[in-house]
Amino acid sequence: MGKQIVILGSGVAGTIVANQIARKIPGELRSGATTLTLLGNTETHTYQPGWLYLPFDLVRPEEIKRSQKSILDPLVHFFVDPIEKIDLPGKKLTSSSKKEYPYDVLVIATGSVPRPDLIPGLQEGGHWFYTEEGALKLRDALRAFQGGKIVVAMGVPHKCPVAPLEVTLMLDDYLRNRGIRDQSEIFYTYPVGALHTIPAVAKWAGPVFEERKILSETFFNMKEVDVDKKVLHSLEGSAVSYDLLISIPPHRGAKVILDNGLGEGGWIPTNKQTLQMEGHDNVFVVGDTTNLPISKAGSTAHFSADILVENVLSVIEGAKPSRIYDGKVFCFIETGRNQATYISFNYSNPPSPPPPTSSVHWMKLSYNRLYWLTARGIL
Ligand SMILES: Cc1cc2nc3c(=O)[nH]c(=O)nc-3n(C[C@H](O)[C@H](O)[C@H](O)COP(=O)(O)OP(=O)(O)OC[C@H]3O[C@@H](n4cnc5c(N)ncnc54)[C@H](O)[C@@H]3O)c2cc1C
């Protein structure tokens, strides 16, 4: 039997890695010298950043979904077979259907999940747009909203670090367009002592919030929601009442990572340069499930996948990893009023967002369509 590369998780990172490997070693895959297997939980691939637009009626769910098979190179063996056991010493995975998947090199790309259950009352009293179901429920709540106080609150950590600002500024636009902004208050809360963890982004957001009359409280970490009284309490001891609560729940790694004890919180200890799992040279980690000191974002998954693929191919040949990831991330930031800006940074160079423009907004909207080329390993 040839060598076996197995990728666990068919989201952004796993799909890019699978397609890129298929494009780099088609001969070996055709001859059977190497087999490439991708394991997922679902037949459907969803472009998660599209969920930001769903609550504001700016996109329909079917526009941001494709069949997983349709975006995969035919040389990738794809199975929907949820994995339960990751046996690192035995070099094999076992699924819930008890099928075993042995590997020579494993790539773990199981992502992260919002966990509203970690904040008492949040599931019952809050809304979020970090799942399709949640985004549609929030859309319906916003459609019914006729004015009042909307509180925006985040748990830590969470993927897409700029989404709190994006949703707040898009909400301001949405309420204006519906003619109910004057009857509404937007109250933004943030866990650290600034409007954002990235200082340049926080500095930029200050005057924008002032101009758009968005109120805020920093050092606000969600503790619990009093559903009956419609009050959100913080760990810092303050309380804020709401008519509608829009949250980003705290995130954790996938259940399979937690169940197999591969990393505290589901975050796998990962070498920040080679992207190997610490202590396991034949296991690589990519996307949200790493413990890298960098944003959990699709672009992180994309840029690190470029490096990881080369290193996987070196290791499968018996060599050492040849490429180093520098922590590159690029994120667009929707700023409302048909404008957007962006941040670009890496482990050693912090970002500085330029003034928002409409051309960057259109670039982001175009990228939302072009994403499928990224997933295919082309862009
Ligand atoms: C509202 C929103 C807006 C966002 N906006 C942006 C943005 O503008 N820019 C940006 O760069 N990023 C953005 N992101 C973040 C981005 O979507 C994620 O960081 C990205 O999807 C991470 O990729 P991943 O492959 O690590 O995880 P995922 O894409 O979540 O994929 C993980 C996959 O692993 C599978 N899996 C888990 N456990 C198992 C198992 N046991 N067996 C089999 N399969 C399993 C899951 O089903 C899933 O398909 C946004 C996210 C959200 C929710």
Side-chain angles (χ1 to χ4, degrees):
M1 183 173 239
K3 293 168 191 158
Q4 313 210 51
I5 302 173
V6 173
I7 303 164
L8 173 56
S10 58
V12 178
T15 302
I16 297 175
V17 169
N19 281 327
Q20 284 197 10
I21 292 178
R23 292 165 76 82
K24 282 190 192 284
I25 54 162
E28 286 94 321
L29 296 177
R30 274 196 199 100
S31 71
T34 304
T35 52
L36 178 57
T37 302
L38 175 66
L39 301 170
N41 263 341
T42 159
E43 302 275 3
T44 307
H45 189 105
T46 304
Y47 176 60
Q48 295 176 25
W51 289 334
L52 173 67
Y53 300 83
L54 264 183
F56 304 116
D57 270 320
L58 295 171
V59 77
R60 280 171 289 120
E62 55 275 21
E63 288 177 72
I64 53 174
K65 287 192 228 180
R66 298 265 168 101
S67 120
Q68 179 68 32
K69 276 224 167 97
S70 74
I71 58 168
L72 282 178
D73 190 295
L75 292 168
V76 180
H77 299 276
F78 173 60
F79 300 99
V80 176
D81 200 6
I83 293 301
E84 281 187 347
K85 189 157 179 237
I86 302 175
D87 176 2
L88 298 179
K91 295 209 262 183
K92 64 173 194 287
L93 309 179
T94 309
S95 69
S96 50
S97 64
K98 302 293 168 237
K99 191 169 166 196
E100 293 191 342
Y101 298 89
Y103 61 80
D104 295 294
V105 171
L106 171 67
V107 178
I108 304 180
T110 42
S112 62
V113 278
R115 292 281 306 274
D117 56 297
L118 297 176
I119 309 283
L122 187 59
Q123 298 206 87
E124 304 78 30
H127 284 271
W128 52 89
F129 53 99
Y130 267 55
T131 59
E132 180 180 325
E133 197 195 4
L136 289 173
K137 199 169 149 243
L138 175 57
R139 181 195 66 184
D140 294 344
L142 280 171
R143 281 179 182 173
F145 186 76
Q146 295 302 333
K149 183 170 178 180
I150 303 183
V151 171
V152 183
M154 358 277 143
V156 282
H158 62 82
K159 58 188 157 190
C160 192
V162 295
L165 292 172
E166 291 187 293
V167 76
T168 304
L169 297 173
M170 289 169 77
L171 177 65
D172 173 62
D173 257 22
Y174 173 87
L175 297 172
R176 272 178 217 288
N177 290 339
R178 282 198 42 213
I180 53 171
R181 181 64 180 96
D182 288 344
Q183 296 98 278
S184 311
E185 184 182 323
I186 302 178
F187 192 89
Y188 172 95
T189 66
Y190 202 71
V192 300
L195 293 176
H196 197 266
T197 37
I198 299 174
V201 174
K203 191 169 163 211
W204 165 82
V208 175
F209 272 27
E210 205 167 312
E211 187 214 334
R212 298 190 198 177
K213 300 188 172 46
I214 295 168
L215 304 174
S216 61
E217 180 173 330
T218 57
F219 275 131
F220 190 104
N221 286 278
M222 283 187 281
K223 181 182 172 209
E224 62 183 334
V225 181
D226 183 330
V227 182
D228 295 333
K229 294 196 176 123
K230 291 194 156 191
V231 174
L232 172 63
H233 293 271
S234 77
L235 286 174
E236 290 75 9
S238 63
V240 53
S241 62
Y242 65 84
D243 295 299
L244 182 67
L245 172 59
I246 301 180
S247 71
I248 298 181
H251 281 49
R252 295 291 181 268
K255 184 171 182 300
V256 65
I257 305 304
L258 290 164
D259 288 352
N260 284 272
L262 297 192
E264 172 111 33
W267 317 123
I268 304 175
T270 307
N271 182 300
K272 65 190 268 204
Q273 295 187 321
T274 67
L275 304 169
Q276 284 162 303
M277 180 174 176
E278 295 291 359
H280 298 272
D281 287 352
N282 67 331
V283 180
F284 287 81
V285 195
V286 64
D288 289 353
T289 195
T290 70
N291 73 340
L292 297 183
I294 201 89
S295 306
K296 297 197 183 297
S299 79
T300 310
H302 177 188
F303 293 124
S304 56
D306 292 345
I307 307 300
L308 177 138
V309 163
E310 301 288 346
N311 288 346
V312 165
L313 295 178
S314 297
V315 168
I316 199 92
E317 288 307 325
K320 293 238 175 270
S322 52
R323 297 276 307 276
I324 282 180
Y325 177 54
D326 66 359
K328 182 176 175 189
V329 183
F330 177 98
C331 289
F332 287 111
I333 311 177
E334 288 283 15
T335 58
R337 305 191 174 174
N338 292 330
Q339 294 195 324
T341 179
Y342 62 87
I343 46 175
S344 177
F345 54 107
N346 61 26
Y347 290 139
S348 28
N349 298 300
S352 175
T357 62
S358 58
S359 49
V360 178
H361 167 67
W362 287 110
M363 266 187 249
K364 168 140 190 181
L365 293 190
S366 308
Y367 182 76
N368 290 344
R369 307 279 163 175
L370 289 171
Y371 163 72
W372 302 104
L373 295 179
T374 299
R376 286 195 166 101
I378 297 168
L379 184 68

